[in-house]
Amino acid sequence: MANLASDPSRSPLGGGSKGRFKSELSKRYRIDSLFSAAAWTAVTLLVLVLALLIGDVLVDGAARLSWDFLTSFPSRKAEEAGLLSALVGTIWVMVIVAVVSFPLGVGAGIYLEEFAEDSWFARAIEININNLAGVPSIIYGLLGLQVFVRWMEPITGGRSILSGALTLALLILPVVIVATRESLRAVPDSLRQAGFALGATRWQVVCNQVLPLALPGILTGTILALSRAIGETAPLITIGALTFISFLPEDLQSPFTVLPIQVFNWISRPQEAFHTNSAAGIIVLLGVLLLMNSSAVLLRNYLQKRH
Amino acid sequence: MDEQMEAVLRAEQVSVSYSGSTAVKNVYLNIPRNRVVAFIGPSGCGKSTILRCFNRMNDLVAGAKMDGRITFNDVDIYDSSVDPVDLRRQVVMVFQKPNPFPKSIYENIAFGARINGYQGDMDELVERSLQQAAIWDEVKDKLKDSGLALSGGQQQRLCIARAIAIQPEVILMDEPCSALDPISTLRVEELIKKLIENYTIVIVTHNMQQASRVSDYTAFFNAKATETGGKMGYLVEYDRTENIFHNPQQQATQEYVSGRFG
């Protein structure tokens, strides 16, 4: 191939520059390699930055990681402080966010994609949802403060796990809805037609044929959205999540804190030792994130294999 | 046309438009029971559109509108008392491109029966349907395999098996062989001739030899250009297949079947 590319006029096939064609193979291959080099550089840069970040955090915080660190409550003394309450808070919040946002988001996505007629109303909702996906998270915090913390206080108990989780669920709903719609749209229409032509109702077609195919994509989108939620700090601070919690939540109405808030709290203290705690906290947060993502990948692969 | 023949489906003055532009106009047509009727004609003549009116698949197309009357066993299928879901169980459809569900062969057959509340023995129904569709011997040892693992021709016969599993009266086929090789096509055609003992079949085809081989009656549709630059289809001639091919009454039919256009 190489000599073919370097000298097209001497192509063994003799078609090099016949008639009005100028094959210019070497030039075309040069563009190929240019582009693949550019793509490679982009990937390398990203990986490098990520490696630097993780490396920096590991150097600062790895030594601080211990079982005690995971199982202790925060403390005024940096070497005794741990992030048990934040870790448990994050798990509570993420579970509730998933439980609330998955059915709501997927349901809304299915409705908009499979059931709604193409009307001005449906289009208005669509535009709104797409816009909501771009609203800064602190705005959701303000909304959560008014609606969940104040108006719904009898149910949520004010500045509680439930208020925080509902706020974050609201924040990621647009992303889940958009991901659901994209996945549904990727299912070939011929399958819906096949279902209808056998006398299936719309829900039978969606439930039996469309949804199983779209589920891996929906799960991927939901996990990406949850990954965003797990790192959110601003809206939770807005609704008043505490930074110093020395007890475990008892129910959904308990006050709470989460990992990013704990990290933020430690890093903003003057003592060096707390900064080390902060780095260790970041490692734990990344670990939880990784665990969540990999279990989603496993689940998706399992679902895909069934078809 | 023999008028004594009992018509299962009857189209009277049927016109269909998509978003206001007429696709096919003023079609009168009777589909006799236990016969094969072929729809032939150039692209854009509305033959598939008419086919899709018979089981109201056009209802699912945004902007589609039908005028006129279509009856199935003398019941107006566009009457408000008729549920299209119920209609499609009795007037099923097989599509141009084989579209088995991405599930096992067994599940492909069982799906339609299950959603329609089939009470009998599912294993037996699956076997009988696959046998009727002349594909049982090829798949009986791999019922748990994906329907997508079959060849194109086998997939299409699986789709036919899936259709007859719900025991319909009419099978609508929209160019069922256009994505198949000649040998697979032949097998599907043999199958059609066999199915006719129990079912009524309407088949849209671009292949005139196929129409002459499998059908008892042939409807020739043609299209004319409209002022707006679109095409409008209409029924030119409908008669026994041998008449359409050997003794057509219209010159357009004569020219089409002899291959002078289309």
Side-chain angles (χ1 to χ4, degrees):
Chain A
M1 276 320 278
N3 58 348
L4 232 179
S6 59
D7 194 356
S9 59
R10 263 189 241 145
S11 156
L13 306 175
S17 307
K18 221 194 276 172
R20 309 197 65 170
F21 289 97
K22 235 173 118 190
S23 75
E24 292 190 316
L25 268 179
S26 57
K27 186 179 162 196
R28 279 150 62 194
Y29 279 121
R30 210 159 46 237
I31 295 173
D32 267 26
S33 41
L34 256 176
F35 188 80
S36 68
W40 188 87
T41 313
V43 171
T44 315
L45 271 177
L46 280 174
V47 172
L48 215 66
V49 170
L50 189 67
L52 263 174
L53 271 172
I54 294 178
D56 184 48
V57 170
L58 280 177
V59 167
D60 287 348
R64 184 70 185 79
L65 275 182
S66 65
W67 186 247
D68 281 343
F69 183 66
L70 293 180
T71 55
S72 305
F73 287 109
S75 158
R76 261 173 297 136
K77 291 184 203 125
E79 53 280 4
E80 284 176 17
L83 40 60
L84 179 63
S85 50
L87 183 59
V88 173
T90 285
I91 293 170
W92 274 71
V93 168
M94 289 320 293
V95 167
I96 302 167
V97 168
V99 166
V100 172
S101 65
F102 187 75
L104 273 183
V106 173
I110 291 175
Y111 173 76
L112 289 172
E113 199 56 39
E114 304 285 338
F115 287 88
E117 302 277 324
D118 186 27
S119 63
W120 67 267
F121 180 67
R123 278 198 295 275
I125 292 181
E126 184 171 351
I127 291 169
N128 266 305
I129 288 173
N130 290 340
N131 283 339
L132 279 178
V135 170
S137 60
I138 193 140
I139 308 285
Y140 284 95
L142 292 172
L143 178 72
L145 180 65
Q146 187 61 34
V147 175
F148 300 130
V149 176
R150 298 204 179 127
W151 290 349
M152 287 171 59
E153 196 185 349
I155 305 166
T156 59
R159 302 164 191 279
S160 64
I161 290 185
L162 190 56
S163 294
L166 288 176
T167 306
L168 289 185
L170 218 54
L171 173 78
I172 66 165
L173 259 182
V175 185
V176 178
I177 294 174
V178 170
T180 302
R181 298 190 62 181
E182 291 299 327
S183 310
L184 290 173
R185 223 172 283 170
V187 176
D189 211 34
S190 63
L191 287 180
R192 294 184 184 86
Q193 302 252 334
F196 287 129
L198 292 172
T201 61
R202 200 169 275 276
W203 171 242
Q204 284 173 325
V205 169
V206 170
C207 170
N208 290 294
Q209 308 302 345
V210 180
L211 214 46
L213 279 185
L215 206 53
I218 294 175
L219 280 177
T220 307
T222 307
I223 279 299
L224 282 177
L226 287 175
S227 308
R228 183 182 167 192
I230 202 175
E232 278 296 342
T233 325
L236 294 181
I237 292 182
T238 315
I239 68 154
L242 298 174
T243 50
F244 192 92
I245 297 266
S246 54
F247 52 86
L248 289 183
E250 284 165 1
D251 54 30
L252 295 180
Q253 298 188 341
S254 302
F256 71 108
T257 190
V258 290
L259 285 170
I261 292 182
Q262 187 65 69
V263 168
F264 173 70
N265 172 253
W266 278 334
I267 201 92
S268 52
R269 296 201 188 187
Q271 300 93 326
E272 193 68 31
F274 277 114
H275 295 175
T276 308
N277 282 359
S278 187
I282 292 173
I283 298 174
V284 174
L285 181 58
L286 285 177
V288 175
L289 190 65
L290 199 67
L291 208 69
M292 207 165 81
N293 281 357
S294 42
S295 51
V297 170
L298 286 179
L299 185 64
R300 191 185 58 198
N301 289 351
Y302 167 74
L303 286 172
Q304 264 169 344
K305 220 176 288 165
R306 279 200 332 195
H307 293 292
Chain B
M1 215 55 252
D2 323 309
E3 283 306 322
Q4 70 271 27
M5 196 73 79
E6 186 204 352
V8 181
L9 286 160
R10 220 184 276 272
E12 288 164 21
Q13 212 182 339
V14 171
S15 302
V16 183
S17 61
Y18 293 113
S19 308
S21 64
T22 308
V24 57
K25 197 161 177 159
N26 221 3
V27 171
Y28 287 84
L29 204 67
N30 288 346
I31 309 290
R33 190 178 295 283
N34 292 16
R35 292 288 182 274
V36 181
V37 176
F39 288 3
I40 61 170
S43 299
C45 67
K47 53 196 190 299
S48 289
T49 298
I50 290 292
L51 191 76
R52 284 162 172 272
C53 286
F54 285 143
N55 68 344
R56 292 184 62 174
M57 285 298 277
N58 272 341
D59 288 18
L60 304 168
V61 180
K65 186 173 172 298
M66 195 209 81
D67 291 307
R69 201 172 117 94
I70 294 180
T71 61
F72 169 63
N73 290 338
D74 296 323
V75 176
D76 183 349
I77 61 170
Y78 282 83
D79 189 82
S80 59
S81 65
V82 172
D83 183 346
V85 169
D86 189 32
L87 171 72
R88 291 184 200 123
R89 195 193 82 66
Q90 298 174 72
V91 184
V92 298
M93 188 167 234
V94 173
F95 295 86
Q96 180 171 6
K97 210 169 143 259
N99 54 357
F101 300 122
K103 298 188 168 180
S104 70
I105 293 168
Y106 186 98
E107 275 304 311
N108 261 281
I109 309 289
F111 171 70
R114 198 176 295 134
I115 57 165
N116 284 298
Y118 178 66
Q119 300 294 319
D121 180 359
M122 193 61 85
D123 290 353
E124 190 252 313
L125 177 75
V126 170
E127 178 173 346
R128 180 158 39 100
S129 306
L130 289 167
Q131 260 165 355
Q132 281 191 2
I135 191 180
W136 172 250
D137 291 333
E138 291 153 72
V139 302
K140 66 181 173 205
D141 298 323
K142 45 180 181 179
L143 293 178
K144 293 275 167 274
D145 289 11
S146 169
L148 293 175
L150 299 172
S151 74
Q154 289 174 323
Q155 287 187 10
Q156 196 61 299
R157 278 178 287 141
L158 177 64
C159 290
I160 294 173
R162 177 175 76 182
I164 54 189
I166 57 175
Q167 295 159 14
E169 277 194 48
V170 182
I171 306 174
L172 306 174
M173 297 184 174
D174 191 357
E175 298 184 43
C177 300
S178 65
L180 306 185
D181 66 88
I183 296 181
S184 303
T185 299
L186 212 61
R187 302 205 59 173
V188 171
E189 287 179 9
E190 282 163 7
L191 175 58
I192 290 173
K193 286 183 200 155
K194 212 176 65 153
L195 289 174
I196 213 61
E197 294 164 19
N198 301 310
Y199 306 96
T200 304
I201 294 176
V202 187
I203 177 172
V204 167
T205 176
H206 266 128
N207 180 338
M208 277 182 283
Q209 281 76 35
Q210 181 169 63
S212 68
R213 280 193 299 260
V214 301
S215 71
D216 303 297
Y217 294 89
T218 296
F220 170 60
F221 290 78
N222 203 352
K224 58 186 171 199
T226 58
E227 304 97 66
T228 51
K231 272 184 182 174
M232 194 186 75
Y234 58 101
L235 177 62
V236 177
E237 194 171 352
Y238 180 40
D239 204 340
R240 287 185 162 280
T241 298
E242 60 261 32
N243 290 344
I244 291 286
F245 281 91
H246 301 298
N247 188 21
Q249 302 300 304
Q250 302 287 326
Q251 192 176 352
T253 316
Q254 164 70 37
E255 285 174 3
Y256 188 78
V257 298
S258 61
R260 238 169 285 164
F261 83 101

